[in-house]
Amino acid sequence: GAGGGLGRAHALELARHGARVVVNDMGAAAEDVAEEIRAQGGEALACIADVTRSEQVDAMVARTLAAFGRVDILVNNAGILRDKSFAKMSLEEFRLVLEVHVMGAANCTKAVWPHMQEQQYGRIVMTTSSSGLYGNFGQSNYGAAKMALVGLMQTLSIEGQKSDIRVNCLAPTAA
């Protein structure tokens, strides 16, 4: 989810600090952000990988390792909305949001975890939301997915300690 919004901001800021950035998104916006980073003198690689498909994520990580040699930071920011009251929402709409947010983060984390363990270093950030923490009308699927990421973060932060893999969540909100 680095083609726009918060993910784009993460990619640009990391590049500004000298990180070599892999910009993943589901469309042409990934190349646009990567080009923007390169135009500012940074190093960036654009990928179009569906985070719900572990084979695509594995290929993205392999491409990253071939280009840059290691993965130090993973920002799990992929997400979609399918807002509707719970009474009107289909289980497929509920499942799809969980699949992108939760399984997308799990697939990406699983793909980089052994590399971070081997190098004894890694930083993983999950994007959660106040909709998960406090609830929001019409976002039962989104709220459930965002709270699942908090639980995943809590457990991975414990499991990653011995390999200096730190895992955190950001819960951006605006008024």
Side-chain angles (χ1 to χ4, degrees):
L6 186 60
R8 177 181 174 273
H10 287 314
L12 294 174
E13 186 65 14
L14 286 165
R16 192 175 75 76
H17 288 280
R20 296 176 292 181
V21 179
V22 175
V23 180
N24 184 57
D25 209 286
M26 288 297 291
E31 184 56 49
D32 294 342
V33 174
E35 181 53 41
E36 187 175 350
I37 290 169
R38 290 189 292 267
Q40 296 172 6
E43 292 183 67
L45 176 66
C47 287
I48 298 175
D50 180 345
V51 297
T52 68
R53 309 277 310 262
S54 60
E55 66 280 1
Q56 290 185 28
V57 172
D58 291 343
M60 176 177 59
V61 171
R63 187 172 168 211
T64 301
L65 293 169
F68 298 138
R70 60 187 286 137
V71 176
D72 291 314
I73 301 168
L74 168 64
V75 179
N76 284 312
N77 189 65
I80 61 168
L81 293 172
R82 296 295 183 269
D83 293 354
K84 203 176 283 186
S85 69
F86 187 72
K88 295 178 181 176
M89 182 182 299
S90 72
L91 287 177
E92 185 52 39
E93 290 166 318
F94 195 95
R95 185 178 290 109
L96 179 61
V97 170
L98 286 172
E99 190 70 25
V100 172
H101 291 266
V102 181
M103 289 310 300
N107 287 336
C108 291
T109 302
K110 187 75 168 170
V112 302
W113 195 264
H115 304 288
M116 289 180 171
Q117 284 180 310
E118 184 179 316
Q119 66 196 26
Q120 289 291 294
Y121 181 87
R123 302 295 181 257
I124 300 172
V125 176
M126 312 278 185
T127 305
T128 188
S129 170
S130 58
S131 292
L133 300 170
Y134 305 111
N136 192 30
F137 187 89
Q139 292 191 320
S140 59
N141 50 4
Y142 183 76
K146 290 307 190 178
M147 279 309 289
L149 291 176
V150 173
L152 179 61
M153 176 271 302
Q154 294 285 25
T155 299
L156 292 178
S157 67
I158 294 166
E159 292 181 10
Q161 284 178 353
K162 67 182 176 186
S163 299
D164 195 23
I165 302 171
R166 296 184 187 171
V167 187
N168 290 282
C169 278
L170 295 175
T173 191

